[in-house]
Amino acid sequence: MKKFLLPLVVLAMLSSCETTKVVTKSNSNDVNTNSTNVDKGFIAAYNSIRLESLKKNLYVIASDEMGGRDTGSPGQKKAGEYMINFYKNIGVSYPRALGSYYQKVPSDFMKKRGGGNLPDSENILAFIEGSEKPEEIIVISGHYDHVGTKNGVVYNGADDDGSGTVAVMEIAKAFQNAKKAGNGPKRSILFLHVTGEEHGLFGSDYYTSNPVFPLANTVVDLNIDMIGRDDAVNRGKQYVYVIGSEMLSSELKVINEGANKKTVNLELNYKYDDPNDPDKLYYRSDHYNFAKNNVPVAFFFDGIHEDYHKPSDKPEKIDYPLLQKRTQLVFATAWEIANREARIAVDKK
């Protein structure tokens, strides 16, 4: 998550084919398949989000080999190659209009926005086309850059935002598993890994300034930035901060809360869900560039912990069971939005 940002001026219940509350098993996050009238496609996909896979990918993304993934650095590019190989291996391609997984973010674009002498970098985009409403796009985003290496010390950025990066990858795998089983999403899903977040939200700014899919057709951005730890106030709790979910749509917060109740049942904390909050978190991650373009957003976040932007933000400190639950929550929310009959309303300002 971006450390500093100057204050800015802010610009139905669930309706999927699932009809009863889904109960989770007491000793795992797996959906209980004994429930009646549940969407079996959802169950199988949801249960494919595995702790072991999240951990395996995070230990690579946040390894010393990636050098802290500073924007445009060789280590960040190496992390990007790993992510693209993951998508290739699970059979998830890129948007046809883009021609590859890469959307170049030019150095000049970042420089004009205060990016100094950052080199060219890339957003990474993976895409699953919807079966019934392919022109309507759900974005699931997370930044894959971090702050690099300082004085020979690697800042691994396991939580910020390695946790969000691997969550996006795992959600893509779950949707792809559903598609292979004949239960692909009705709306299209764009898995957007953005660069340059730590220097000024540059990757998401570039995407929303040069969208591969029209922003008018973009239904929502579910942004994941730091979901692998807990902060001091919530130590040991099963929670996640949710920011922005009712800023632009009266339905998004309701959908997210419903998805939470039928699955992981985390405590949804709305402490920072206020544009006037002194920490200004609504403005400090990539969802904001969608929100300022009138796209509904929800930002999933674990709080500012003691290893934030320090070299001690390492993969061994991640709470992997909690990371799994939060990833499953974002997936469940995306599933509902992707498969409901009507597009969510944009009815608030």
Side-chain angles (χ1 to χ4, degrees):
M1 187 182 71
K2 188 179 188 303
K3 193 167 186 178
F4 299 110
L5 192 68
L6 291 175
L8 301 172
V9 178
V10 184
L11 307 165
M13 296 303 291
L14 296 172
S15 59
S16 76
C17 54
E18 191 275 323
T19 59
T20 62
K21 181 178 179 181
V22 177
V23 182
T24 55
K25 297 177 183 177
S26 60
N27 60 349
S28 78
N29 299 336
D30 291 356
V31 174
N32 188 344
T33 57
N34 293 324
S35 297
T36 59
N37 298 323
V38 294
D39 184 339
K40 301 300 184 183
F42 167 75
I43 291 171
Y46 173 93
N47 287 345
S48 73
I49 295 174
R50 308 308 300 175
L51 180 155
E52 297 81 9
S53 180
L54 290 161
K55 187 173 185 177
K56 174 186 175 183
N57 288 326
L58 186 53
Y59 264 85
V60 175
I61 294 294
S63 67
D64 286 352
E65 184 181 358
M66 305 306 175
R69 307 186 310 279
D70 197 8
T71 300
S73 68
Q76 190 203 32
K77 293 180 186 297
K78 187 177 292 187
E81 291 169 0
Y82 177 83
M83 292 152 57
I84 288 171
N85 285 331
F86 173 88
Y87 286 119
K88 288 179 178 178
N89 288 337
I90 65 173
V92 175
S93 191
Y94 45 80
R96 284 191 296 271
L98 193 59
S100 78
Y101 292 97
Y102 291 116
Q103 182 187 45
K104 181 180 176 181
V105 180
S107 174
D108 286 348
F109 178 89
M110 294 184 280
K111 186 174 184 178
K112 290 175 182 176
R113 287 157 172 77
N117 295 314
L118 289 171
D120 291 345
S121 189
E122 302 85 24
N123 293 330
I124 293 175
L125 285 68
F127 182 69
I128 295 176
E129 186 171 74
S131 60
E132 296 183 17
K133 302 173 186 289
E135 73 286 353
E136 295 186 14
I137 311 298
I138 292 163
V139 177
I140 302 175
S141 63
H143 72 92
Y144 74 108
D145 64 303
H146 192 52
V147 299
T149 299
K150 301 178 182 181
N151 300 317
V153 178
V154 175
Y155 286 62
N156 301 94
D159 193 28
D160 186 11
D161 183 32
S163 61
T165 298
V166 299
V168 174
M169 293 163 67
E170 195 72 1
I171 292 167
K173 184 187 76 176
F175 272 111
Q176 181 68 354
N177 286 344
K179 183 178 179 180
K180 288 179 179 177
N183 299 303
K186 293 179 181 179
R187 292 176 175 82
S188 297
I189 316 287
L190 176 65
F191 305 96
L192 176 62
H193 299 273
V194 290
T195 187
E197 191 271 357
E198 298 289 4
H199 292 277
L201 312 184
F202 295 139
S204 56
D205 188 5
Y206 188 81
Y207 178 84
T208 53
S209 300
N210 303 273
V212 176
F213 302 100
L215 293 181
N217 292 351
T218 303
V219 174
V220 70
D221 173 45
L222 304 179
N223 185 49
I224 314 172
D225 189 353
M226 299 175 59
I227 60 165
R229 298 282 297 272
D230 56 12
D231 61 14
V233 176
N234 293 284
R235 190 105 311 147
K237 293 182 180 180
Q238 300 292 293
Y239 78 100
V240 67
Y241 291 108
V242 184
I243 301 169
S245 63
E246 60 179 353
M247 298 291 189
L248 294 170
S249 174
S250 61
E251 296 178 315
L252 179 53
K253 183 176 181 178
V254 174
I255 291 169
N256 183 58
E257 289 185 341
N260 182 55
K261 287 178 182 178
K262 79 172 186 180
T263 57
V264 290
N265 202 29
L266 295 173
E267 175 188 335
L268 303 183
N269 191 315
Y270 297 106
K271 174 184 177 182
Y272 298 114
D273 195 24
D274 180 356
N276 297 314
D277 181 84
D279 289 309
K280 300 292 183 184
L281 289 172
Y282 179 62
Y283 308 101
R284 287 175 56 182
S285 192
D286 295 294
H287 61 280
Y288 179 67
N289 281 317
F290 287 90
K292 73 182 185 181
N293 283 286
N294 213 36
V295 175
V297 301
F299 168 28
F300 299 87
F301 176 58
D302 61 22
I304 304 295
H305 52 73
E306 59 271 19
D307 295 311
Y308 172 65
H309 276 222
K310 294 180 180 178
S312 48
D313 181 9
K314 293 182 176 292
E316 57 265 29
K317 292 189 175 183
I318 296 295
D319 183 337
Y320 288 97
L322 188 51
L323 172 59
Q324 181 189 19
K325 289 179 181 179
R326 290 164 172 165
T327 302
Q328 288 172 319
L329 170 58
V330 179
F331 169 75
T333 303
W335 180 278
E336 296 290 349
I337 298 169
N339 292 300
R340 72 200 306 262
E341 185 60 32
R343 173 175 173 165
I344 64 171
V346 184
D347 54 4
K348 301 178 77 172
K349 296 291 184 182

